[in-house]
Amino acid sequence: MELELASLPHKERYKLLIGLVIPRPIGWVSTWSENGVANCAPFSFFNCISEDPPLCILSFNLRSDGALKHTLKNIRRTGEYVVNLVDESTANAMHVSSYEVAETESEFSATGLTPVPAKIVKHPRIGEAAAAFECRIERSITFGPERELVIGEILLVHARDGIIDPVSKRISEELYRPIGRLFANRYCTTRQRFDLPGKLPG
Ligand SMILES: Cc1cc2nc3c(=O)[nH]c(=O)nc-3n(C[C@H](O)[C@H](O)[C@H](O)COP(=O)(O)O)c2cc1C
């Protein structure tokens, strides 16, 4: 089968692409609104793309009423944000925090999450998250009226105790159990891991 994307309706392209590129990591972004409401929402057009400089990307479309997502509004206003990483213990709260709510309502209160002050940026991190990146916008690129890519510089990494070995900086496979997004309401764990033989370059 061959499908030329230009000939497909928007919705089918979306379904196809998010169904094929799986699993995707989830960037769970936390920010304050200008009125001091703690906001968080998940984004799976997310990845870490460089370590020098340390960069991650997020890509936003619009809310169902055509307005800017609150997260993007808060990021644009301040140039800063926190990307939290989602593990099995926070999966449900992450999913619920994706529901569209009014700007005056906090996804933190709705899910029982704790906003904890970040160290460098002015936004909160999610206290229950396995790990979090404090980020500052490096640049953002707009693709048409409905899609904006935000590239962030990662300034500081937080992690739940035990996840990062303080000396080797290795991540504990035992304690860090991230989940990935498949499509619609489907997710996966990272429980089945395997080695391939051979030497890695470098
Ligand atoms: C797992 C998951 C991944 C998502 N990924 C994206 C994404 O990459 N980009 C996007 O614009 N919306 C994405 N969404 C939808 C947003 O989370 C949703 O629109 C949310 O209500 C935005 O909240 P906000 O307006 O408070 O920013 C995703 C939803 C889920 C459940």
Side-chain angles (χ1 to χ4, degrees), residues 5-162:
L5 293 195
S7 63
L8 291 181
H10 180 127
K11 219 173 165 180
E12 283 186 12
R13 272 187 235 165
Y14 177 78
K15 242 169 50 186
L16 194 66
L17 296 176
I18 71 154
L20 286 171
V21 184
I22 56 170
R24 288 183 308 288
I26 302 169
W28 195 12
V29 182
S30 49
T31 49
W32 290 114
S33 78
E34 61 186 327
N35 297 316
V37 178
N39 182 89
C40 64
F43 297 89
S44 64
F45 283 156
F46 161 70
N47 220 314
C48 170
I49 55 159
S50 161
E51 83 295 350
D52 188 17
L55 300 175
C56 62
I57 51 167
L58 289 161
S59 154
F60 299 88
N61 61 5
L62 301 175
R63 285 170 70 89
S64 54
D65 62 1
L68 271 193
K69 298 221 164 153
H70 300 152
T71 303
L72 182 57
K73 198 171 160 190
N74 296 339
I75 290 180
R76 279 194 188 164
R77 191 183 73 253
T78 58
E80 298 179 337
Y81 51 101
V82 178
V83 179
N84 304 268
L85 300 173
V86 186
D87 68 350
E88 293 172 23
S89 72
T90 50
N92 192 54
M94 173 281 297
H95 186 69
V96 171
S97 76
S98 74
Y99 303 165
E100 279 193 6
V101 295
E103 213 173 356
T104 47
E105 274 178 52
S106 173
E107 293 87 355
F108 278 79
S109 328
T111 52
L113 293 167
T114 317
V116 174
K119 201 154 183 196
I120 300 177
V121 306
K122 290 181 267 326
H123 292 291
R125 64 183 177 88
I126 298 172
E128 291 76 8
F133 298 157
E134 295 193 24
C135 298
R136 181 173 295 143
I137 293 188
E138 204 279 339
R139 72 189 72 176
S140 84
I141 305 169
T142 303
F143 299 97
E146 295 197 10
R147 197 46 87 174
E148 181 161 333
L149 178 77
V150 173
I151 306 175
E153 182 180 356
I154 304 166
L155 306 172
L156 192 136
V157 175
H158 296 266
R160 204 184 279 148
D161 284 350

